[in-house]
């Protein structure tokens, strides 16, 4: 897996927790097993769809539209695991007990030019 894959998965989870439905669709005649496997990880249902061209996409959209919740009711419950990237759903007010974010880097004796 690439370095970006875990971040993409976390970002997809944040989006899904915020009420977004993710339905991956490939528009290609080529079937890449690794790409399909990755897309299943970020899919809301674990499903990945594939169509040959944009004309086929119209038919697929008609089939999927009933499964998509267009306007889910937002929830303001905190996530069980803190996120380390900004989200599109900020808290409505400051909390009395802020989350401590542990540093992933040990201090060094020599300063670095970037954080």
């Amino acid at each position: 897996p690439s370095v970006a894959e875990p971040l993409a998965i976390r970002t997809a989870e944040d989006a899904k927790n915020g009420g977004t439905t993710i339905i991956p669709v490939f528009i290609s005649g080529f079937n890449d097993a690794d790409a399909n496997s990755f897309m299943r990880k970020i899919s809301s249902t674990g499903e990945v769809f594939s169509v040959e061209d944009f004309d086929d996409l119209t038919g697929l959209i008609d089939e999927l539209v009933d499964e998509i919740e267009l306007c889910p009711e937002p929830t303001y419950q905190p996530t069980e695991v803190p996120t380390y990237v900004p989200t599109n759903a900020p808290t409505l007010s400051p909390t009395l007990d802020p989350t401590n974010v542990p540093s992933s880097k040990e201090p060094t004796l020599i300063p670095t030019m970037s954080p």
Side-chain angles (χ1 to χ4, degrees):
S2 74
V3 174
E5 189 172 310
L7 180 59
I9 292 169
R10 277 198 310 266
T11 303
E13 287 301 319
D14 288 344
K16 290 185 281 188
N17 289 337
T20 300
T21 300
I22 300 175
I23 302 174
V25 177
F26 288 100
I27 303 172
S28 171
F30 178 71
N31 188 351
D32 182 334
D34 290 335
N36 275 322
S37 175
F38 172 69
M39 289 298 166
R40 271 194 291 283
K41 291 176 187 175
I42 67 169
S43 173
S44 293
T45 62
E47 295 178 286
V48 176
F49 298 90
S50 181
V51 294
E52 293 286 324
D53 55 37
F54 284 96
D55 290 334
D56 293 341
L57 182 60
T58 303
L60 179 61
I61 290 172
D62 291 340
E63 291 176 31
L64 295 176
V65 77
D66 291 336
E67 296 180 31
I68 300 171
E69 292 182 15
L70 298 177
C71 297
E73 216 28 63
T75 61
Y76 297 102
Q77 298 299 316
T79 58
E80 292 181 23
V81 179
T83 57
Y84 297 102
V85 294
T87 65
N88 290 329
T91 55
L92 297 177
S93 60
T95 58
L96 296 175
D97 186 23
T99 304
N100 292 325
V101 178
S103 172
S104 61
K105 297 181 179 179
E106 292 293 321
T108 61
L109 296 176
I110 302 169
T112 57
M113 297 303 292
S114 63

